[in-house]
Amino acid sequence: METPKIPAPKDEGEKEVLEKLIAIRDQLQLRKLDRTTYVRTQDVMILYDQTIEQVKLLNEMRRGKSVEENRVDRVVDSCFQLLSLFFMTIGRNNEAPAAYALTSTIKRLLDHLDEANLYSARDLESMSQTLEHLSVIVHNSASSKPAPFLETLIVHRIERCRASLANLQKRIEDIAEPLRPTADRLVSIMRQMAIINTKSKFTPSEIHKREAELKEIGEMRKDGQFLDADGNVLKGSESVSKLVDRCLEYTKIVLERNGQFPDKWKPIYDVLVGIRNDLDKLSLTQAWSLRETDLYDYQRQLDRIDESRVNGNWVDDQGQPAELYVQRTLLYLIRRSYGYIYHLMISSEPVSEALLPIYNQLQTLKRCLVEVKNSGGVTSARELYPYSMKLHSIDNMKVDGKFMVGEDIPEGQGSVAELLAECFDLNYELRVAAEAATETPPSEQES
């Protein structure tokens, strides 16, 4: 789990903490793999409390000392990362521990966007909104103070992310407003080419199409500069012009390679393509197939590959760095995968996996009822019978107003109840409208 360059702790007290934390992490890993039962809140909270207890001991041992990062810190991170994903799995998305994994992913994404210097305002907007939401969650959690040091840690992580975000935002602001759509278009073209380059079947014609678009953008320049209507050089013209040239250069490299990847880098490439493809499938079937803890293994694989770089690049057995084409392709696959993980995390519903089957059925029912309403409603209340029967069958599953699973009351009761009420309201509106239409005399309908 830890890379060899991370040393073991020297302090005897830290060694004991390490052993206990490894045991906790192993239990979390086993629970993650167990698909025979849903994850129960009490099981997660026991392991969460044990982790907090060990980290408190660790902090007390280190108070006033200067300590270099060692294996204890890595295992603490692993435990919090897993617990964070477990909090999402049990539906406690709006509590501070759930923010830990998201801040890790956002920081990775921001670092990669900074390194690649290829992003749009839309990329930053989503992460900015997510960081605001996480700040509110941590602030609200602080009142209970179950683990103030964890909240402080998450606040610091959010602030680091905000600083990175501000730096990236500044680069966008350095481009004149009229030129930003062109810059966004170039980012989109570059990403499209990266996708084509990593497809199982490479199609040169698709690259030629993007090449023509790039040449068209390049021809908008006069003497290598983008000008406004009055002939003045637009702010950011130089950086956008460099991006055009960079895209055209990438086009040539991709066409030369023709979808062939060097054999010595193929093992890493295959792993990254596999992760990207798995996450892509999960993003399509998330509501029905994702357990948030599944993301942990993907994250750790990506982290290890990303951290194996030397001075920003991968090196082979002879210490030779990867050529530009290999470096760009691997970095694209890593960024794309982190992007999928981020999307899957922010799309996670605040509902326990035990209630997700009911919640997903209600989501589908709501979409169907909204579609019926938008397409003009129904001609008679009879057409609503299937929806009414399904809603009543779900409503009848409640015991004393709660959706129970055995003796447990899973998290997310409010979200499920709210969605059920919305479906009943939509169904009622459609029925009333249908009955009103059938009671109206034909002459009035025609007029």
Side-chain angles (χ1 to χ4, degrees):
M1 193 64 65
E2 289 70 51
T3 50
K5 61 185 176 184
I6 303 296
K10 294 175 183 175
D11 182 88
E12 287 303 319
E14 287 200 17
K15 285 178 184 176
E16 283 183 33
V17 169
L18 175 61
E19 284 178 21
K20 288 178 181 174
L21 285 170
I22 287 173
I24 293 168
R25 187 190 63 193
D26 290 346
Q27 287 182 66
L28 288 165
Q29 288 272 35
L30 287 170
R31 188 66 199 85
K32 177 176 74 69
L33 295 170
D34 183 6
R35 292 278 183 171
T36 57
T37 59
Y38 74 91
V39 178
R40 299 190 313 161
T41 299
Q42 54 265 47
D43 296 339
V44 174
M45 295 314 295
I46 288 168
L47 293 168
Y48 172 73
D49 291 339
Q50 288 175 6
T51 304
I52 293 297
E53 184 185 337
Q54 292 306 312
V55 176
K56 276 182 181 174
L57 285 172
L58 183 66
N59 289 343
E60 285 167 14
M61 289 174 200
R62 290 179 168 182
R63 189 171 287 127
K65 298 179 187 175
S66 175
V67 183
E68 288 186 14
E69 184 184 55
N70 60 44
R71 284 190 68 205
V72 184
D73 301 282
R74 282 300 175 103
V75 179
V76 167
D77 177 63
S78 294
C79 288
F80 279 144
Q81 196 79 14
L82 274 163
L83 285 164
S84 184
L85 294 168
F86 268 112
F87 266 68
M88 292 185 197
T89 303
I90 62 175
R92 297 176 79 156
N93 303 44
N94 296 322
E95 295 184 28
Y100 190 92
L102 248 175
T103 53
S104 297
T105 303
I106 291 172
K107 188 68 174 74
R108 290 273 179 182
L109 275 173
L110 290 170
D111 288 346
H112 276 284
L113 291 178
D114 182 32
E115 181 181 13
N117 196 17
L118 189 77
Y119 56 91
S120 65
R122 189 183 297 174
D123 296 327
L124 305 185
E125 189 180 337
S126 172
M127 284 186 274
S128 177
Q129 290 173 354
T130 302
L131 288 169
E132 285 300 318
H133 176 62
L134 295 181
S135 292
V136 171
I137 287 172
V138 176
H139 175 74
N140 291 341
S141 294
S143 58
S144 59
K145 292 287 180 190
F149 63 84
L150 176 58
E151 278 134 25
T152 303
L153 174 62
I154 293 170
V155 166
H156 287 158
R157 288 159 73 100
I158 290 171
E159 290 309 314
R160 282 201 298 273
C161 288
R162 280 180 169 157
S164 299
L165 197 67
N167 179 45
L168 295 171
Q169 190 65 48
K170 172 84 169 55
R171 292 186 211 170
I172 288 176
E173 289 166 2
D174 286 340
I175 298 172
E177 198 75 46
L179 200 49
R180 287 180 196 173
T182 303
D184 288 349
R185 191 176 164 198
L186 289 167
V187 170
S188 176
I189 291 170
M190 192 74 149
R191 287 177 177 172
Q192 287 169 32
M193 290 195 295
I195 291 169
I196 296 162
N197 179 47
T198 53
K199 279 183 176 178
S200 55
K201 289 186 180 178
F202 179 77
T203 314
S205 61
E206 292 185 65
I207 295 292
H208 285 304
K209 183 181 173 185
R210 273 74 188 179
E211 186 180 32
E213 282 186 70
L214 291 168
K215 286 178 178 174
E216 186 184 302
I217 294 170
E219 286 165 7
M220 291 162 59
R221 295 176 289 185
K222 189 169 183 181
D223 297 328
Q225 300 280 10
F226 289 96
L227 311 177
D228 63 15
D230 300 322
N232 300 312
V233 176
L234 284 163
K235 183 184 175 187
S237 168
E238 186 181 349
S239 63
V240 176
S241 195
K242 281 181 181 176
L243 185 53
V244 173
D245 297 336
R246 180 180 158 191
C247 290
L248 284 166
E249 179 199 351
Y250 184 63
T251 305
K252 288 176 190 170
I253 296 170
V254 170
L255 286 169
E256 281 171 14
R257 295 296 175 145
N258 199 37
Q260 300 300 311
F261 207 77
D263 288 340
K264 68 177 174 180
W265 299 108
K266 203 79 166 59
I268 296 179
Y269 175 81
D270 288 342
V271 168
L272 289 174
V273 167
I275 292 171
R276 190 269 313 265
N277 292 348
D278 285 350
L279 290 168
D280 182 40
K281 286 174 195 166
L282 274 176
S283 70
L284 296 173
T285 61
Q286 176 183 9
W288 302 97
S289 61
L290 177 71
R291 177 186 268 187
E292 284 79 1
T293 50
D294 295 341
L295 299 175
Y296 177 82
D297 291 334
Y298 293 118
Q299 272 189 314
R300 282 304 185 236
Q301 275 184 287
L302 291 168
D303 292 350
R304 280 197 292 272
I305 294 171
D306 196 16
E307 290 167 10
S308 68
R309 292 191 282 160
V310 178
N311 298 323
N313 199 356
W314 287 272
V315 294
D316 62 18
D317 297 338
Q318 282 73 47
Q320 294 300 309
E323 59 190 293
L324 186 64
Y325 170 75
V326 170
Q327 185 186 16
R328 282 189 180 176
T329 303
L330 297 180
L331 282 173
Y332 158 73
L333 288 167
I334 288 176
R335 282 197 300 274
R336 182 75 169 166
S337 296
Y338 278 128
Y340 274 125
I341 289 171
Y342 169 73
H343 168 75
L344 289 164
M345 283 184 183
I346 62 170
S347 303
S348 172
E349 300 287 357
V351 175
S352 165
E353 68 169 351
L355 292 186
L356 270 181
I358 297 171
Y359 188 81
N360 291 335
Q361 287 178 58
L362 288 170
Q363 288 274 47
T364 304
L365 274 169
K366 183 183 174 181
R367 280 195 293 270
C368 291
L369 289 165
V370 168
E371 188 61 37
V372 169
K373 185 180 178 181
N374 291 341
S375 59
V378 293
T379 54
S380 75
R382 188 178 293 276
E383 292 176 49
L384 294 170
Y385 282 178
Y387 302 110
S388 301
M389 288 173 66
K390 186 63 183 173
L391 286 171
H392 282 294
S393 73
I394 292 174
D395 193 38
N396 289 337
M397 293 167 69
K398 291 191 286 188
V399 178
D400 296 328
K402 302 285 185 186
F403 289 97
M404 306 281 289
V405 177
E407 296 295 314
D408 298 326
I409 304 173
E411 304 280 346
Q413 297 287 331
S415 298
V416 177
E418 185 181 339
L419 190 53
L420 180 60
E422 285 177 30
C423 290
F424 269 121
D425 288 344
L426 279 166
N427 197 53
Y428 177 73
E429 285 174 33
L430 288 165
R431 192 177 83 238
V432 169
E435 287 170 352
T438 53
E439 288 170 9
T440 306
S443 58
E444 287 185 32
Q445 287 185 38
E446 286 166 12
S447 63

